[in-house]
Amino acid sequence: MIKTPTRAYGGITADQRAAERRARLLEAALELFSRQGYARTTIEALCGEAKVTARHFYQLFDSREALLRALYDNIIADLRAGVLQAMSAPKLSLSQQIPLGVSAMVNHYLADSRLARVGVLEVVGVSPQMEIRRREAVHDMAGLIEAYLGSLVAQGDLPKRNYHLVSVALVGGINELLAEWLTLENPPDIPTLSEEIIHILNALIRGAAQ
């Protein structure tokens, strides 16, 4: 990747201009990948949407997939932070914390459904490298759930056992429910979807504890 010079023009440095172009390309990727799909979006279309040249694109990203990876990393980082914040209230019961975490995840994705279309649908099947990154993200989110369940075990609210597979199943199940919501002709409203996910999570966690 070519390093741009840092000389300032009009009070704006080259690094600042590069950051602005990068932000525009990420926004263009979110819009086009969600609207017409990753496979049907060309670098030329991305540059046109972001109002940058192809030369500037390749100064910032090695490929179209690199742009998708950067966008996906941002989506997952924001999702993780939102779920952690929602579930950080101290001394809440399982029945209280699960709705907070689920609502944070669902609202993050579906308040702007473009995020879900990219994070749930468009990253699937892109390449072996992207699939590795997607699996890392699934296991990262599952790790949050597993750590939370471990704290409930320590408090005596759940029996001691290995909750790793349960945690992976929870994340995978939520992903599939979001994919279903995105592809239904008449999907339920977001609160209804959240309630269904909460019922499923409670049943799965409590059932695994038996």
Side-chain angles (χ1 to χ4, degrees):
M1 191 176 296
I2 301 171
K3 177 67 176 176
T4 56
T6 57
R7 183 178 177 183
Y9 294 93
I12 302 176
T13 67
D15 287 343
Q16 288 171 326
R17 289 195 302 276
E20 290 172 357
R21 293 185 190 113
R22 188 177 192 277
R24 293 203 303 273
L25 281 166
L26 287 167
E27 180 59 31
L30 178 61
E31 178 62 28
L32 295 182
F33 292 164
S34 61
R35 186 203 311 162
Q36 61 193 39
Y38 170 80
R40 292 184 294 276
T41 301
T42 64
I43 289 178
E44 181 181 15
L46 289 163
C47 291
E49 181 78 12
K51 296 180 173 55
V52 303
T53 65
R55 178 174 68 86
H56 287 140
F57 178 96
Y58 285 109
Q59 286 176 345
L60 296 165
F61 299 102
D62 294 331
S63 63
R64 182 179 53 135
E65 185 177 325
L67 175 56
L68 175 66
R69 167 69 180 263
L71 177 60
Y72 183 62
D73 286 348
N74 286 352
I75 291 171
I76 294 302
D78 290 345
L79 176 64
R80 191 180 197 280
V83 171
L84 279 175
Q85 182 178 7
M87 298 182 71
S88 63
K91 297 182 179 178
L92 290 181
S93 68
L94 177 63
S95 61
Q96 291 171 314
Q97 283 207 352
I98 283 181
L100 289 178
V102 169
S103 295
M105 183 176 293
V106 173
N107 289 333
H108 171 77
Y109 265 146
L110 300 186
D112 182 351
S113 63
R114 297 179 305 170
L115 299 172
R117 288 198 172 274
V118 173
V120 173
L121 298 177
E122 293 303 321
V123 297
V124 176
V126 170
S127 71
Q129 293 75 23
M130 197 66 210
E131 185 61 18
I132 289 171
R133 176 65 188 105
R134 192 180 73 83
R135 295 298 303 159
E136 288 174 351
V138 168
H139 282 95
D140 181 47
M141 296 303 299
L144 294 182
I145 296 174
E146 189 174 358
Y148 166 63
L149 296 180
S151 70
L152 293 178
V153 171
Q155 295 170 11
D157 293 332
L158 285 176
K160 186 175 181 179
R161 59 159 294 170
N162 188 333
Y163 288 97
H164 173 71
L165 293 179
V166 173
S167 301
V168 173
L170 292 177
V171 176
I174 291 173
N175 270 349
E176 285 304 308
L177 287 170
L178 291 172
E180 182 72 6
W181 188 91
L182 289 164
T183 54
L184 284 174
E185 185 175 346
N186 296 302
D189 58 33
I190 293 175
T192 299
L193 178 63
S194 294
E195 287 177 10
E196 287 298 316
I197 292 175
I198 289 164
H199 288 319
I200 292 168
L201 297 190
N202 273 314
L204 186 54
I205 291 172
R206 290 304 184 187
Q210 297 301 317

